[in-house]
Amino acid sequence: MSSHSTVPSPEITLAPKHDNSGVKRIWQVFTLLSIVTIVELVMGYAMTKQAGWVDKSSALGMFFVGAICILSVAKAYYIVGVFMHLGGELKNFRLTIVTTLALFIWFIAAFLMDGNSWKNLKNTNAGSREAPKTENAIPAVLDKNAKP
Amino acid sequence: MSATTITSNTKWWNGGRSPFDISYGKVMMWYFLMSDAFTFGAFIISYATLRFSMNSWVDANQVFNAFPGLHGADLPLAFVSLMTFILIFSSVTMVLAVHEGHNMNKKGVEKYMLWTILGGAAFLGCQAWEWTHLLTGEHFILSKEGVLTALNTTPSHNPWGIDHVDKAAVIGALPKASPELLTAMIHEHNHAFNAQGLGTAQLVEEATKLVNAGTVHVGSQGPPAFGSYFFGITGFHGFHVFSGVVINVIMYLKTKLGHFDQRGHYEMIEKAGLYWHFVDLVWVFVFLCFYLV
């Protein structure tokens, strides 16, 4: 464990803080990312038509989708925090990044709700009729009830 | 904070000193990546919004179920898992290169940069195969107007609608189909079939037999936006991977030429590393939105 304190640039007043437990930590995070990816894949595979273990629209399916999203954010946290070493930077610098990225919370929520509302408006002619029972758009030629 | 190590007359924010204790270049790389995150975010959220607004979307596991060398295999998630692990692994070799740089170990940096470049190139190769497979693979579909066509997956064509349309509707549409399409349909399952000199009526008869036997698979058209978003977003990501590989090659050459040893530090490797990890980070979400859910 050599402790080099070479200052990369004259702008920097403090020597860079490298914890040289480095290599071990890198492999720990690699193992963690791999395990999380495998868990995601197992849940994703369970919901495929080919496997047919879990129906995506069932309660368990919804839970799986939510869990996969949360696990992806956890992966992002470890990549940014350890591999990109943001966890080791000064707190104020960290905040300039993290607070800005917090805009994504609004960004995702607002747009997904908008998409969902758009779907409801289309299905009900802006609320003027009942939503059709069929989930899939059927080509006219296949629709036995369609008038020629 | 170790305030005692700072000389009392240090004028923070007064020029010449980084307020965040990292070099200007690294701060700007972070802010560039943050803006890039918003660009990718906007693309992916736009895709998700459109998908949320549709009653049905494409089943990714029907589209991405092929594997190189295994013809006709139905393996959902298999190939994309390989791509994901390639990218995670190249992220690890990148961070190991940065670590060797901290220790001023030129040989170590060279070794791990080469592994990272190899990982990036392997990922790009996988993506090229996947794109080729989608762009060239034709699928028979019955359009909304009742016309039979063969479609490949492109930014404007999507053959991934309903999996199997009604046999009667397909048979009804066969007489209107072109002889070329009928021949292609028959050839897909009967390579020895000789269409030479056969009239449309005979082709229709042969194709009807195959449809009735359930060997010919005819689907319907899916939302065309699928291809635009898939090729647009994975293409934008692939372009980042490509430029990351180019940057890494330059970093490798500069290491080899001893530029960083002369400079006394390997900070450039760290900056290239930030970019490379970002590419891996974006893939986590592309993988999530296009393949997993």
Side-chain angles (χ1 to χ4, degrees):
Chain A
M1 298 291 142
S2 63
S3 55
H4 270 277
S5 51
T6 40
V7 174
S9 147
E11 297 164 44
I12 292 169
T13 49
L14 302 167
K17 317 148 276 292
H18 311 124
D19 42 293
N20 267 328
S21 58
V23 177
K24 203 179 153 210
R25 181 88 177 121
I26 292 166
W27 288 108
Q28 273 175 357
V29 172
F30 170 68
T31 313
L32 190 88
L33 290 176
S34 302
I35 292 171
V36 170
T37 307
I38 290 167
V39 171
E40 284 184 336
L41 283 168
V42 169
M43 288 198 279
Y45 184 72
M47 292 188 293
T48 61
K49 261 193 197 140
Q50 288 91 333
W53 301 335
V54 176
D55 179 11
K56 208 185 240 178
S57 52
S58 69
L60 186 62
M62 300 291 260
F63 170 76
F64 273 16
V65 170
I68 290 172
C69 292
I70 290 167
L71 288 176
S72 292
V73 174
K75 271 161 76 175
Y77 175 83
Y78 278 99
I79 291 170
V80 175
V82 179
F83 285 179
M84 295 170 90
H85 203 256
L86 189 62
E89 307 296 356
L90 288 184
K91 193 184 170 201
N92 281 344
F93 181 66
R94 236 160 41 213
L95 286 176
T96 65
I97 307 280
V98 175
T99 47
T100 315
L101 289 181
L103 275 171
F104 267 117
I105 299 170
W106 160 81
F107 199 3
I108 293 168
F111 276 80
L112 294 194
M113 280 191 261
D114 197 37
N116 198 46
S117 144
W118 188 10
K119 176 175 79 181
N120 292 336
L121 290 173
K122 282 193 295 187
N123 282 346
T124 60
N125 280 8
S128 64
R129 64 174 166 98
E130 287 284 301
K133 298 280 183 289
T134 45
E135 276 260 301
N136 293 318
I138 301 172
V141 67
L142 306 176
D143 193 350
K144 293 186 181 66
N145 303 320
K147 301 205 169 55
Chain B
M1 271 291 93
S2 49
T4 46
T5 58
I6 305 161
T7 49
S8 54
N9 60 357
T10 303
K11 288 192 171 64
W12 299 94
W13 298 97
N14 208 19
R17 290 275 181 269
S18 163
F20 297 126
D21 197 23
I22 24 175
S23 68
Y24 178 79
K26 232 166 116 179
V27 172
M28 288 306 128
M29 179 53 98
W30 268 106
Y31 290 163
F32 161 67
L33 293 180
M34 192 168 64
S35 72
D36 218 14
F38 277 101
T39 311
F40 268 110
F43 284 157
I44 294 176
I45 291 167
S46 155
Y47 155 77
T49 306
L50 201 90
R51 194 174 153 175
F52 265 56
S53 78
M54 309 280 249
N55 284 320
S56 66
W57 191 249
V58 172
D59 179 11
N61 299 304
Q62 306 293 125
V63 186
F64 311 107
N65 65 350
F67 203 91
L70 300 174
H71 192 71
D74 185 15
L75 299 167
L77 295 170
F79 192 52
V80 75
S81 312
L82 177 70
M83 289 168 79
T84 304
F85 279 107
I86 287 172
L87 217 50
I88 293 179
F89 201 78
S90 81
S91 227
V92 172
T93 54
M94 184 78 233
V95 82
L96 289 169
V98 172
H99 186 81
E100 294 299 336
H102 285 158
N103 294 332
M104 300 297 286
N105 179 3
K106 183 170 172 242
K107 281 273 164 280
V109 175
E110 284 174 15
K111 180 177 88 177
Y112 287 119
M113 285 311 286
L114 275 183
W115 278 111
T116 311
I117 293 163
L118 188 71
F123 181 87
L124 285 173
C126 289
Q127 202 170 39
W129 184 87
E130 187 187 44
W131 276 36
T132 310
H133 177 78
L134 288 174
L135 290 166
T136 57
E138 289 200 324
H139 304 267
F140 298 113
I141 64 126
L142 182 62
S143 76
K144 278 183 185 162
E145 295 76 33
V147 180
L148 277 169
T149 41
L151 282 190
N152 40 6
T153 316
T154 72
S156 52
H157 292 153
N158 177 1
W160 306 100
I162 298 169
D163 211 13
H164 291 273
V165 296
D166 192 43
K167 272 182 198 171
V170 176
I171 290 166
L174 281 173
K176 284 176 282 177
S178 70
E180 291 77 25
L181 187 94
L182 291 169
T183 312
M185 204 175 238
I186 298 163
H187 266 183
E188 198 181 62
H189 298 277
N190 181 3
H191 296 288
F193 183 78
N194 186 8
Q196 206 68 48
L198 286 182
T200 312
Q202 286 151 303
L203 290 173
V204 169
E205 192 188 323
E206 187 67 26
T208 309
K209 265 190 259 171
L210 288 171
V211 173
N212 267 327
T215 43
V216 166
H217 165 113
V218 178
S220 76
Q221 233 171 325
F226 170 75
S228 333
Y229 278 115
F230 175 77
F231 289 111
I233 292 174
T234 59
F236 195 54
H237 175 264
F239 178 67
H240 276 72
V241 178
F242 174 73
S243 50
V245 170
V246 171
I247 291 168
N248 285 345
V249 168
I250 295 168
M251 290 303 123
Y252 169 75
L253 292 175
K254 283 178 79 72
T255 310
K256 193 92 181 158
L257 293 170
H259 289 181
F260 302 129
D261 273 341
Q262 286 159 26
R263 208 175 282 177
H265 60 82
Y266 279 78
E267 212 209 22
M268 281 303 279
I269 300 285
E270 278 185 59
K271 283 181 242 177
L274 284 177
Y275 186 74
W276 190 251
H277 295 312
F278 177 75
V279 167
D280 183 29
L281 180 69
V282 170
W283 182 253
V284 168
F285 294 100
V286 173
F287 175 56
L288 170 75
C289 298
F290 279 100
Y291 300 90
L292 271 179
V293 298

